Amino acid sequence: MGEMMGEGVDGVRMTWNAWPKTKVEASKCVVPIAATISPIRPHPNIPTLPYAPLRCKTCVAALNPFSRVDYTAKIWICPLCFQRNHFPPHYASAISETNIPGELYPQYTTVDYCWSPPPASASASASDSVCLFVVDTCMIEEEMELVKSAVRRALVSFKENFMVGFISYGTQVHVHQLAYTDIIDKVYVFRGDNDLSKDQVLDHLSLSTKSAFSKLPTTNATAHAPAPLNCFLLPASDCEYKLNSLLDELKTDQWPVPPGSRSLRCTGVALTVAAALLAACTPGTAARIVALVGGPCTQGPGTIVSKDLSDPVRSHKDLDKDAAPYFQKAVKYYDSLGKQLASQGHVLDLFASALDQVGVAEMKVAVERTGGLVVLSESFGHSVFKDSFIRLFEEGDQSLRLCSNGTLEIYCSKDIKIQGIIGPCTSLEKKGVSIADTVIGQGNTMAWKMCSLDRNTNLTVYFDISSSDRSNPPGTVNPQLYLQFLTSYQNPEGEMMLRVTTVSRKWVESDVGSEELVQGFDQETAAVVMARLCSHKMEMEEGFDAARWLDRNLIRLCSKFGEYRKDDPASFSLNLCFSLFPQFMFNLRRSQFVQVFNNSPDETAYFRMLLNRESITNAAVMIQPSLISYSFNSLPSPALLDVSSICADRILLLDSYFSVVIFHGMTIAQWRNMGYQNQPEHEAFKQLLEAPQQEAQMIIHDRFPVPRLVVCDQHGSQARFLLAKLNPSSTYNNVNDMAAGSDVIFTDDVSLQVFFEHLQRLAVQS
């Protein structure tokens, strides 16, 4: 079972790698039956076949290595629905036991199909070749200059055929015409307090089919003007000078702001105009809206706070008490915008940089529906924004290789039902027999749209077992179950690809074959699946107590799979297959996903968006950070995520995904401040200081968004970034137990040891 625990070639990991046969038995397993899939994760052992796949005529699943083949009758039997299918003539004429197509090779459970030639036009070859910048101008001059500098850097990295558009907004929305004309440059202006429909926007831009272009005056000055569709989106090579001139002239919003008031900012209207413009100019073509937002929306649709500065932006407490008057209306607006963008195949990327909140919590639904990227930072000058923003457009090794126009279809064996998906996708509302009655996330469908996806994109699929009839449970006829994931997408070269992944697992009796069930438990995947489900419930269910829900499920799991004597906590033990799971749950309870205190709703939404879309390995680091120790006495090695790991002569490297912390012990910091690393006789000390820096840069290099790098010393103010993640085994209550050179954490939180003691006591109760 060990080879199943990693993503391997298929990019699929499951909470349980052996499935219980009935709905009742599945509910007793506590942890949901779920699979996480990285739809386009690259792997050198995945072949690319230059033809279209064969499909089952009943369930439409593709031919795969688990299909039974009758080489004499030229028939293959679908493993999902058992339908007998005849091979077409071009297969039947050559297929034999010694000559089989690539998709039937046992090791090729995942194959890529590419049967459409790449587009002849280079301009159509990049899936992310259309970029519409939407830039907020309600900010101070210094921030405005940083934004303009970032856009200029992006322009330099664009290919010649990269299509670019530009919208600026503040109190009003300005759509800039980038085409050269013989007359003065034209800018289309929209009021920021109007709730505009798509047709109204297009009519105002003269892009509506109802607009009578023939009625426009045709004087000598306008007779040779470009066609309206070509005015707003141009290749970077054609408009680079014009766009740079526009950026030079772009100023902060000039609308007067009375004392005690916020700037009038119409983010919602700007995004409405951007979505309508792309619908007219690039219908059915992949395009990205790149929004650079510097503050909260205060007028028009999508407003999150009033203009009066005395009214604070909503907090978690306000949301819990239903005291955020703008929240639900804004979420409803962005939900409809997300549906519109998803139907168009367009993406909303959000780069929010401000000390205050900007409305990420409300925009989350639109960003997730379209598979967009999100970056949250304190300033447009911060490395988190600057490095992440340029990564979006870079080529080569640093490229994100963003793909577009993706759809995911899932086909299952009989008695397996799909409850839904949590992740960056939207439902296509495709009905079928495999849809469950209960819904989690994007449900009631067998197909999902992914407007944008990359190699780290990860989706969680929740399943239900429909059979409750013990007389004829699944697995009676066939002990194996099958799942097939079909992902079609357009790669950065413009080719349409189809990836077919077929996986098989075994049905087991959870009572009789409990050992097989236990051995198939994937602790890391289970922790991430529980975290995603818990975050989803916190957003969707009013009054949901996340910590209590996690505690109850953990107690139930330990009661079922632990070994103990009734009412004897000392006798309790867990199988190695479950030994790490309680620790994951302990850290999840303390994480920013569950403990929202001291985080704004925007920060919480940001953290949860990344939790829902990143790979299992990355998501596990978000829940339980990794800690590496560097010292003179040993090679770099993993350290316990505990305050006892702090030592005066040790350097610690903490990776919590959102931040990377290099923590110098007290003695190390003193030696560094005295400059010992600059002396030839202390070359070893210099290497010790450089080692965690090099490792940190490797982590930052491979990650998007770029994490915050924190370099701190023991007892320094920024040491809090490390201390907040460590197990508080030494607090002010037991300072006498502290080792020399270590540290204490000033908290009333229980330690992991106390947590385990309580868990053992509750798990063994009669």
Side-chain angles (χ1 to χ4, degrees), residues 131-139 144 146-148 150-151 166-167 169 265 267 271 289-295 348-353 358 380 385 389 393:
C131 175
L132 178 57
F133 290 107
V134 179
V135 177
D136 180 4
T137 59
C138 290
M139 58 182 77
M144 192 76 242
L146 290 167
V147 169
K148 292 195 284 189
V151 175
F166 194 84
I167 294 174
Y169 74 94
R265 184 184 280 105
T267 309
L271 294 176
I289 297 173
V290 179
L292 294 97
V293 184
L348 173 61
D349 294 326
L350 178 62
F351 291 84
S353 295
V358 302
F380 287 108
F385 165 75
F389 186 72
F393 307 105

Coordinates of all heavy atoms in Angstrom, one line a residue, residues 131-139 144 146-148 150-151 166-167 169 265 267 271 289-295 348-353 358 380 385 389 393:
C131 N -4.4 39.9 -21.5 CA -4.3 40.4 -20.1 C -4.9 41.8 -20.1 O -4.4 42.7 -20.8 CB -2.8 40.4 -19.7 SG -2.6 41.2 -18.1
L132 N -5.9 41.9 -19.3 CA -6.5 43.2 -19.1 C -6.2 43.7 -17.7 O -6.7 43.2 -16.7 CB -8.1 43.1 -19.3 CG -8.9 44.4 -19.1 CD1 -8.4 45.5 -20.0 CD2 -10.4 44.1 -19.3
F133 N -5.4 44.8 -17.6 CA -5.0 45.4 -16.3 C -6.2 46.2 -15.8 O -6.7 47.1 -16.5 CB -3.8 46.2 -16.4 CG -2.5 45.4 -16.6 CD1 -1.9 45.4 -17.9 CD2 -2.0 44.6 -15.6 CE1 -0.7 44.7 -18.1 CE2 -0.8 43.9 -15.8 CZ -0.2 43.9 -17.0
V134 N -6.6 46.1 -14.5 CA -7.6 46.9 -13.9 C -6.9 47.5 -12.7 O -6.6 46.8 -11.7 CB -8.8 46.1 -13.5 CG1 -9.8 47.0 -12.8 CG2 -9.5 45.5 -14.7
V135 N -6.5 48.8 -12.8 CA -5.6 49.4 -11.8 C -6.4 50.5 -10.9 O -7.0 51.4 -11.5 CB -4.4 50.1 -12.5 CG1 -3.6 50.8 -11.4 CG2 -3.6 49.1 -13.2
D136 N -6.3 50.3 -9.6 CA -6.9 51.2 -8.7 C -6.0 52.5 -8.6 O -4.8 52.4 -8.4 CB -7.0 50.5 -7.3 CG -7.6 51.4 -6.2 OD1 -8.0 52.5 -6.5 OD2 -7.6 50.9 -5.0
T137 N -6.6 53.7 -8.6 CA -5.8 54.9 -8.5 C -6.1 55.7 -7.2 O -5.6 56.8 -7.0 CB -6.2 55.9 -9.7 OG1 -7.6 56.2 -9.7 CG2 -5.8 55.2 -11.0
C138 N -6.9 55.1 -6.4 CA -7.2 55.8 -5.1 C -6.1 55.3 -4.1 O -6.4 54.5 -3.2 CB -8.6 55.4 -4.5 SG -9.9 56.1 -5.5
M139 N -4.9 55.9 -4.2 CA -3.9 55.5 -3.3 C -2.8 56.7 -3.3 O -2.9 57.6 -4.1 CB -3.2 54.2 -3.7 CG -2.6 54.2 -5.1 SD -1.9 52.6 -5.6 CE -3.4 51.6 -6.0
M144 N 1.3 54.5 -6.0 CA 0.9 54.6 -7.4 C 2.2 54.4 -8.3 O 2.1 53.7 -9.3 CB 0.3 56.0 -7.7 CG -0.3 56.2 -9.0 SD -1.9 55.4 -9.1 CE -1.6 54.2 -10.4
L146 N 4.8 52.7 -7.5 CA 5.2 51.3 -7.4 C 4.3 50.4 -8.3 O 4.8 49.5 -8.9 CB 5.0 50.8 -5.9 CG 6.0 51.4 -4.9 CD1 5.6 51.1 -3.5 CD2 7.4 50.8 -5.2
V147 N 3.0 50.7 -8.4 CA 2.1 50.0 -9.3 C 2.5 50.2 -10.7 O 2.6 49.2 -11.5 CB 0.6 50.5 -9.1 CG1 -0.3 49.9 -10.2 CG2 0.1 50.0 -7.7
K148 N 2.8 51.4 -11.1 CA 3.2 51.7 -12.5 C 4.5 51.0 -12.8 O 4.7 50.5 -13.9 CB 3.3 53.2 -12.7 CG 2.0 53.9 -12.6 CD 2.0 55.4 -13.2 CE 2.7 56.3 -12.2 NZ 2.5 57.7 -12.7
A150 N 5.5 48.2 -11.5 CA 5.3 46.8 -11.7 C 4.7 46.5 -13.0 O 5.0 45.5 -13.7 CB 4.3 46.3 -10.5
V151 N 3.7 47.3 -13.5 CA 3.1 47.1 -14.8 C 4.2 47.2 -15.9 O 4.2 46.5 -16.9 CB 1.9 48.1 -15.0 CG1 1.4 47.9 -16.4 CG2 0.8 47.8 -14.0
F166 N -6.1 48.1 -20.8 CA -5.8 48.9 -19.6 C -7.1 49.6 -19.1 O -7.7 50.4 -19.9 CB -4.7 49.9 -19.8 CG -4.1 50.4 -18.5 CD1 -3.2 49.8 -17.8 CD2 -4.6 51.7 -18.1 CE1 -2.7 50.3 -16.6 CE2 -4.1 52.2 -16.9 CZ -3.1 51.5 -16.2
I167 N -7.5 49.4 -17.9 CA -8.6 50.1 -17.2 C -8.1 50.7 -15.9 O -7.4 50.0 -15.2 CB -9.8 49.2 -17.0 CG1 -10.4 48.7 -18.3 CG2 -10.9 49.9 -16.1 CD1 -11.5 47.7 -18.1
Y169 N -9.3 53.0 -12.4 CA -10.6 53.4 -11.7 C -10.3 54.0 -10.4 O -9.2 53.8 -9.8 CB -11.5 52.2 -11.6 CG -11.0 51.2 -10.5 CD1 -11.5 51.3 -9.2 CD2 -10.1 50.2 -10.8 CE1 -11.1 50.4 -8.2 CE2 -9.7 49.3 -9.8 CZ -10.2 49.4 -8.5 OH -9.8 48.6 -7.5
R265 N -14.2 54.6 -4.2 CA -13.5 53.6 -5.0 C -14.6 52.6 -5.5 O -15.4 52.0 -4.7 CB -12.5 52.9 -4.1 CG -11.7 51.9 -4.9 CD -10.8 51.1 -4.0 NE -9.5 51.8 -3.7 CZ -9.3 52.4 -2.5 NH1 -10.2 52.4 -1.5 NH2 -8.2 53.1 -2.3
T267 N -14.6 49.5 -7.2 CA -14.0 48.3 -7.7 C -14.9 47.4 -8.4 O -14.6 46.8 -9.5 CB -13.4 47.5 -6.5 OG1 -12.5 48.4 -5.7 CG2 -12.6 46.3 -6.9
L271 N -14.7 46.0 -12.4 CA -14.6 44.6 -12.8 C -15.8 44.2 -13.7 O -15.6 43.4 -14.6 CB -14.6 43.7 -11.5 CG -13.4 43.9 -10.6 CD1 -13.5 43.0 -9.4 CD2 -12.1 43.5 -11.4
I289 N -8.2 38.9 -16.2 CA -8.3 40.3 -15.6 C -7.4 40.3 -14.5 O -7.5 39.5 -13.5 CB -9.8 40.5 -15.1 CG1 -10.8 40.5 -16.3 CG2 -9.8 41.9 -14.4 CD1 -12.2 40.6 -15.8
V290 N -6.4 41.2 -14.6 CA -5.4 41.3 -13.5 C -5.7 42.6 -12.7 O -5.5 43.7 -13.2 CB -4.0 41.4 -14.0 CG1 -3.0 41.5 -12.9 CG2 -3.7 40.1 -14.8
A291 N -6.4 42.4 -11.6 CA -6.8 43.6 -10.8 C -5.8 43.9 -9.7 O -5.4 43.0 -8.9 CB -8.2 43.2 -10.1
L292 N -5.4 45.2 -9.7 CA -4.4 45.7 -8.7 C -5.2 46.6 -7.8 O -5.5 47.7 -8.2 CB -3.2 46.3 -9.3 CG -2.3 45.4 -10.1 CD1 -2.6 45.5 -11.6 CD2 -0.9 45.8 -9.9
V293 N -5.6 46.2 -6.6 CA -6.5 46.9 -5.7 C -5.8 47.4 -4.5 O -5.0 46.6 -3.8 CB -7.7 45.9 -5.3 CG1 -8.7 46.7 -4.5 CG2 -8.3 45.3 -6.5
G294 N -6.0 48.7 -4.1 CA -5.3 49.3 -3.0 C -6.1 49.7 -1.9 O -5.6 50.4 -1.0
G295 N -7.4 49.3 -1.9 CA -8.3 49.7 -0.7 C -9.7 49.2 -0.9 O -10.0 48.5 -1.9
L348 N -10.2 35.9 -13.2 CA -10.0 37.1 -12.4 C -8.8 36.8 -11.4 O -8.9 36.0 -10.5 CB -11.2 37.4 -11.5 CG -11.1 38.6 -10.5 CD1 -10.7 39.9 -11.2 CD2 -12.4 38.8 -9.7
D349 N -7.7 37.5 -11.6 CA -6.5 37.5 -10.7 C -6.6 38.7 -9.8 O -6.8 39.8 -10.3 CB -5.2 37.5 -11.5 CG -5.0 36.2 -12.3 OD1 -5.5 35.1 -11.9 OD2 -4.5 36.3 -13.4
L350 N -6.3 38.5 -8.5 CA -6.5 39.6 -7.6 C -5.1 39.8 -6.9 O -4.6 38.9 -6.2 CB -7.6 39.3 -6.6 CG -7.8 40.4 -5.5 CD1 -8.2 41.7 -6.1 CD2 -8.9 39.9 -4.5
F351 N -4.6 41.1 -7.0 CA -3.4 41.5 -6.3 C -3.8 42.6 -5.4 O -4.0 43.7 -5.8 CB -2.3 41.9 -7.3 CG -1.7 40.8 -8.1 CD1 -2.3 40.4 -9.2 CD2 -0.5 40.2 -7.6 CE1 -1.8 39.3 -10.0 CE2 0.0 39.1 -8.4 CZ -0.6 38.7 -9.5
A352 N -4.0 42.3 -4.1 CA -4.5 43.3 -3.1 C -3.3 43.7 -2.2 O -2.7 42.8 -1.6 CB -5.6 42.7 -2.3
S353 N -3.0 45.0 -2.2 CA -1.9 45.5 -1.3 C -2.4 46.7 -0.6 O -2.6 47.8 -1.2 CB -0.7 45.8 -2.2 OG -0.2 44.6 -2.8
V358 N -9.4 45.1 1.8 CA -9.8 45.6 0.4 C -11.1 44.9 -0.1 O -11.6 45.3 -1.1 CB -8.7 45.5 -0.6 CG1 -7.5 46.2 -0.1 CG2 -8.3 44.0 -0.8
F380 N 2.4 47.7 -2.3 CA 2.9 47.3 -3.6 C 4.4 47.3 -3.7 O 4.9 46.9 -4.7 CB 2.3 48.3 -4.6 CG 0.8 48.0 -4.9 CD1 -0.2 48.9 -4.4 CD2 0.4 46.9 -5.5 CE1 -1.5 48.7 -4.6 CE2 -1.0 46.7 -5.8 CZ -1.9 47.6 -5.3
F385 N 4.4 41.1 -3.1 CA 3.7 41.5 -4.3 C 4.6 41.5 -5.5 O 4.3 41.0 -6.6 CB 3.1 42.9 -4.1 CG 2.6 43.5 -5.4 CD1 1.5 43.1 -6.1 CD2 3.4 44.5 -6.0 CE1 1.2 43.6 -7.3 CE2 3.1 45.1 -7.2 CZ 1.9 44.7 -7.9
F389 N 4.0 39.1 -8.6 CA 3.4 39.8 -9.8 C 4.2 39.5 -11.1 O 3.7 39.1 -12.1 CB 3.3 41.3 -9.6 CG 2.6 42.0 -10.7 CD1 1.2 41.9 -10.8 CD2 3.3 42.8 -11.6 CE1 0.5 42.5 -11.8 CE2 2.6 43.5 -12.6 CZ 1.2 43.3 -12.7
F393 N 4.0 36.5 -15.3 CA 4.3 36.8 -16.7 C 5.6 36.2 -17.1 O 5.9 36.3 -18.3 CB 4.2 38.3 -17.0 CG 3.0 39.0 -16.5 CD1 3.0 39.8 -15.3 CD2 1.8 38.8 -17.2 CE1 1.8 40.4 -14.9 CE2 0.6 39.4 -16.7 CZ 0.7 40.2 -15.6

